[in-house]
């Protein structure tokens, strides 16, 4: 009876080890997906600043359509975050505009236990992060006069952008886009 209880306790320990390993994999996947999306958000913000004086290009950038961004940078950043979480990025891709999926595998195995075959089993996990534009604007009518840029309404704030304003107050990446896990 004592042997049976001891075996049961060791089996619970094995399940606990696997659960902790799986949790680490999910943390790494979440961090990697968010890092890829945040990198893209930052690049889109930089692209928006470059075309600030041409509001006809703003919507393409807010929708994630910009040729200015480096398509390799987001997954490089995801790889770094996976490594910081003791995992390896096995796949990183953008299934659609403004989304990133990261698949990771832990560097450490579940470990030795009473359950045979767990010595070489590594946990795998995936996560998807999405970038959500927070801003809207109205282009002026064709007959409108003036060099003022359109007002940019972002969540809780309206930006009155003036290209010749010496203060240079522009929205930050987190003002223009929200980044969150999608699943």
């Amino acid at each position: 009876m004592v042997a049976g209880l001891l075996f049961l306790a060791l089996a619970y320990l094995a399940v606990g080890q696997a659960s902790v390993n799986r949790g680490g994999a999910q943390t790494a996947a979440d961090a990697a997906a968010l890092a890829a999306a945040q990198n893209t958000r930052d690049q889109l913000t930089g692209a928006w600043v470059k075309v600030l004086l041409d509001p006809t290009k703003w919507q393409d950038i807010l929708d994630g359509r910009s040729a200015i961004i480096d398509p390799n940078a987001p997954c490089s950043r995801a790889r770094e975050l996976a490594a910081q979480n003791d995992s390896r990025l096995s796949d990183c891709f953008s299934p659609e505009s403004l989304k990133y999926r990261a698949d990771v595998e832990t560097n450490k195995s579940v470990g030795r236990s009473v359950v045979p075959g767990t010595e070489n089993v590594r946990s795998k996990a995936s996560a998807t992060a999405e970038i959500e534009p927070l801003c809207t604007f109205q282009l002026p009518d064709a007959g409108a006069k003036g060099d003022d840029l359109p007002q940019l309404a972002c969540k809780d704030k309206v930006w009155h952008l003036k290209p010749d304003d010496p203060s240079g107050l522009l929205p930050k990446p987190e003002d223009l886009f929200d980044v969150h896990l999608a699943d």
Side-chain angles (χ1 to χ4, degrees):
M1 178 131 163
V2 172
L5 288 175
L6 184 58
F7 181 78
L8 187 58
L10 291 173
Y12 279 127
L13 181 63
V15 169
Q17 284 176 307
S19 179
V20 167
N21 198 276
R22 172 73 172 102
Q26 191 60 58
T27 298
D30 292 348
L34 287 169
Q38 287 174 341
N39 181 280
T40 299
R41 175 203 62 189
D42 294 348
Q43 287 190 69
L44 287 170
T45 301
W48 178 77
V49 169
K50 287 181 182 176
V51 300
L52 182 63
L53 298 178
D54 186 358
T56 61
K57 296 180 179 178
W58 290 6
Q59 193 61 54
D60 283 343
I61 291 172
L62 291 174
D63 291 339
R65 297 185 306 266
S66 174
I68 300 173
I69 67 171
D70 175 2
N72 298 318
C75 291
S76 292
R77 186 69 181 127
R79 188 171 291 103
E80 291 172 14
L81 265 285
Q84 288 176 10
N85 284 282
D86 200 20
S87 296
R88 179 183 61 79
L89 186 69
S90 54
D91 200 4
C92 175
F93 59 96
S94 182
E96 59 186 79
S97 181
L98 299 179
K99 281 191 180 185
Y100 276 92
R101 179 181 162 132
D103 298 329
V104 301
E105 180 177 34
T106 58
N107 291 331
K108 293 181 182 174
S109 67
V110 173
R112 293 181 56 193
S113 70
V114 295
V115 180
T118 61
E119 297 84 18
N120 297 318
V121 174
R122 289 173 170 46
S123 295
K124 297 177 183 178
S126 64
T128 302
E130 61 186 3
I131 307 159
E132 179 184 348
L134 298 175
C135 303
T136 59
F137 64 95
Q138 288 287 92
L139 288 173
D141 294 330
K145 296 184 188 220
D147 293 332
D148 285 343
L149 296 171
Q151 289 182 355
L152 188 66
C154 303
K155 201 173 179 182
D156 299 328
K157 184 171 182 176
V158 176
W159 297 85
H160 302 279
L161 305 168
K162 303 218 183 288
D164 55 352
D165 185 0
S167 66
L169 294 177
L170 293 175
K172 295 178 180 160
E174 56 272 16
D175 296 322
L176 296 172
F177 301 96
D178 181 44
V179 174
H180 56 271
L181 292 172
D183 55 356

